[in-house]
Amino acid sequence: MSTPQPSQTRTNNAPELQQIVDAIRGRRRFVVSSHSRPDGDSIGSQLAMAYALRAIGKEVRVINADPAPPPLMAFPGVPAIEIAARVDGELDAAIIMECGELTRTGVAGLDRFFVINIDHHPGNTRYGQINWFDAGAAACGEMVFDLVRALDAPLSLEVATHVYLAILTDTGSFHYSSISPRTFDICRQTLEAGVDPVLVARNVYDSNNMGRLKLFGAVLSAMQIDPTGRIAIVYLDHEMARAAGGTYEDTEGLINLPLTVKEIQAIVFFKQVEGDQYRVSMRSKGDIDVGAVAKEFGGGGHKNAAGCTVTGAIDALQKVFLEKIEQAIELRDSRIVGMQK
Ligand code: 5GP
Ligand code: MN
C-alpha cells in the first residue's frame, strides 16, 4: 500500500462553467466531438453531453473520426455516433471534449462554429471561444457531470451511465492518482440515478472474443522486461495481429495487464502504424510521470497514462524510451521519503 496522500477536492465553481451554460442556453444546434481513436472518457463524455442537451430541447449530432472501441458498442447511443472526417451543414456550436487540440478530433470543419472546449489534459491548447480546463478532474466525464447539473438537465439513466463509464475507464478502473473525493461523490450520484456498476464493468472489461485473448497471449509472450525488472516493453505489428487472428482494436486494455505484476512500475507499448511509424502508449504507477516522457516526443497525456507517435528503427526507439522511463523512475525515487509507492 502507498502512503496516504492529501487528496485534492475538486470544486465545480469555475467561471467558465457559467459561461458555457449561457452559451448553450442561447444556442440550438450542436455538434459534439472528441479526439480520434476515442476511448471510454471520450465516448462517455460525449454521450452524457448529448443526452443532457437533447433533454433540454437541443438538437445534437455526435461525430467522431473513428469508431468507439467494440466493447463500448453495448452502451446507449454509441452505435448511432456518426463516423466522419468532416462536419457538413449549419450548426450553432461545437462542444469538444477530452481533446487537447482541435486537429486531434480528426474531424474537419468544426472551427466554423462557436467552439466550447472542455478538457482535463495538461497541455490543452485553448482553441475554443470558451475554454474550460480542469487538470484536477479524474475524467472529462466529471466535468460533464458538473455541466449537466449546472444546466439543470435531468440525471437520466443514460446520462448517469455515460458519466460513470467515463470515470471508470479514465481512472483505469480506479487505479490512477487523479481520483479525488469528488470522483466518488459523482459516482455515488450516478448509482443513485440507477447505474449498475457490475453491468458497466462486465460490458467494458469482460466482453472479449477469442481473437483478442489469443492476441493478448502473443503480445504478452513476447514481452520484455528491463534489467531492473521495473519496466515492461511490449510490441505489436500487423503480422503478429494477423497470425494471432486478432485486430488492432482488440488490444484495447492490454497495456494495463503488465502493471498487475507487483514489481513492474511502468510499461511502454509500441504498436506499428505502418513501416517505421509506431504508436506509443505508456502507463505507470504512482508518481512516475510518463506524461512528461510522451511530451518530449510530441505527444501528451497524464502522469499515469500517456502516448505519442514516433518514427524510427524499433530497437533504437525501445532503447530511448527505456532510458527516458528509467529517468522518470529515478526522479520519482529521488522524491520519495518513506514507503515505496
Ligand atoms: P493511449 O495510450 O490510451 O492512447 O493514451 C493515453 C492518454 O494519453 C490519453 O489520455 C490520451 O489522450 C493521451 N495521448 C495519447 N496519445 C497522445 C498524443 O499523441 N498526443 C497527446 N497530446 N495526447 C496523447
Ligand atoms: Mn480523459
Side-chain angles (χ1 to χ4, degrees):
M1 288 296 290
S2 46
T3 21
Q5 300 283 316
S7 292
Q8 184 186 4
T9 301
R10 244 169 38 77
T11 54
N12 55 359
N13 54 6
E16 296 87 351
L17 187 54
Q18 191 53 49
Q19 290 168 22
I20 294 175
V21 168
D22 294 341
I24 289 175
R25 291 223 169 102
R27 291 173 173 81
R28 191 171 60 83
R29 300 165 303 178
F30 295 84
V31 55
V32 175
S33 191
S34 185
H35 60 77
S36 55
R37 296 179 299 105
D39 59 14
D41 196 17
S42 314
I43 299 295
S45 296
Q46 286 182 278
L47 284 170
M49 192 75 246
Y51 278 107
L53 289 174
R54 286 180 191 132
I56 58 168
K58 308 296 183 185
E59 282 176 26
V60 188
R61 290 171 66 187
V62 183
I63 305 184
N64 286 338
D66 301 301
L72 302 192
M73 286 294 178
F75 289 86
V78 179
I81 294 175
E82 292 179 52
I83 309 301
R86 66 171 303 107
V87 51
D88 296 314
E90 280 317 305
L91 299 163
D92 303 316
I95 304 181
I96 316 296
M97 285 166 294
E98 173 70 2
C99 189
E101 296 159 48
L102 195 54
T103 50
R104 263 201 95 209
T105 58
V107 179
L110 292 166
D111 56 358
R112 294 186 294 128
F113 311 123
F114 184 88
V115 172
I116 300 172
N117 165 11
I118 302 175
D119 191 21
H120 70 139
H121 290 95
N124 183 289
T125 57
R126 299 179 198 251
Y127 49 80
Q129 271 74 52
I130 305 178
N131 301 285
W132 180 27
F133 171 74
D134 183 355
C140 196
E142 284 191 7
M143 302 173 73
V144 173
F145 175 88
D146 293 342
L147 180 52
V148 170
R149 288 301 204 205
L151 283 166
D152 283 327
L155 189 61
S156 64
L157 183 57
E158 287 86 0
V159 172
T161 298
H162 280 289
V163 167
Y164 185 82
L165 170 68
I167 293 174
L168 178 72
T169 54
D170 230 37
T171 58
S173 42
F174 304 106
H175 279 56
Y176 299 157
S177 51
S178 51
I179 296 163
S180 76
R182 252 191 82 66
T183 310
F184 287 102
D185 187 39
I186 293 170
C187 289
R188 174 184 62 75
Q189 294 183 61
T190 65
L191 262 59
E192 282 173 357
V195 169
D196 177 348
V198 178
L199 195 61
V200 175
R202 285 253 174 265
N203 275 312
V204 174
Y205 298 112
D206 304 337
S207 56
N208 281 348
N209 55 51
M210 278 311 280
R212 179 164 145 95
L213 208 61
K214 290 202 166 140
L215 188 59
F216 273 39
V219 171
L220 293 176
S221 304
M223 180 172 85
Q224 294 172 267
I225 305 289
D226 83 310
T228 72
R230 297 179 300 183
I231 307 169
I233 308 161
V234 294
Y235 171 85
L236 175 70
D237 58 29
H238 292 289
E239 185 49 42
M240 285 168 73
R242 230 187 337 266
T247 67
Y248 268 32
E249 285 74 44
D250 288 330
T251 59
E252 179 75 28
L254 191 160
I255 191 166
N256 297 314
L257 289 181
L259 282 188
T260 62
V261 175
K262 191 168 193 294
E263 291 75 21
I264 295 181
Q265 300 289 304
I267 168 158
V268 53
F269 183 4
F270 293 89
K271 223 194 282 192
Q272 182 191 34
V273 181
E274 55 189 26
D276 267 357
Q277 194 183 42
Y278 297 91
R279 273 288 312 156
V280 181
S281 285
M282 291 176 280
R283 299 288 185 274
S284 66
K285 288 176 181 164
D287 281 336
I288 300 167
D289 190 355
V290 290
V293 176
K295 218 170 151 193
E296 283 191 51
F297 295 93
H302 310 275
K303 186 166 69 179
N304 296 136
C308 54
T309 302
V310 292
T311 303
I314 187 66
D315 289 351
L317 288 173
Q318 291 189 351
K319 191 161 170 282
V320 79
F321 275 86
L322 211 55
E323 280 167 12
K324 294 287 181 195
I325 296 171
E326 264 159 17
Q327 285 165 13
I329 294 179
E330 278 160 24
L331 191 65
R332 188 276 316 258
D333 288 346
S334 69
R335 288 182 182 141
I336 289 188
V337 186
M339 287 177 73
Q340 193 193 349
K341 280 212 145 189

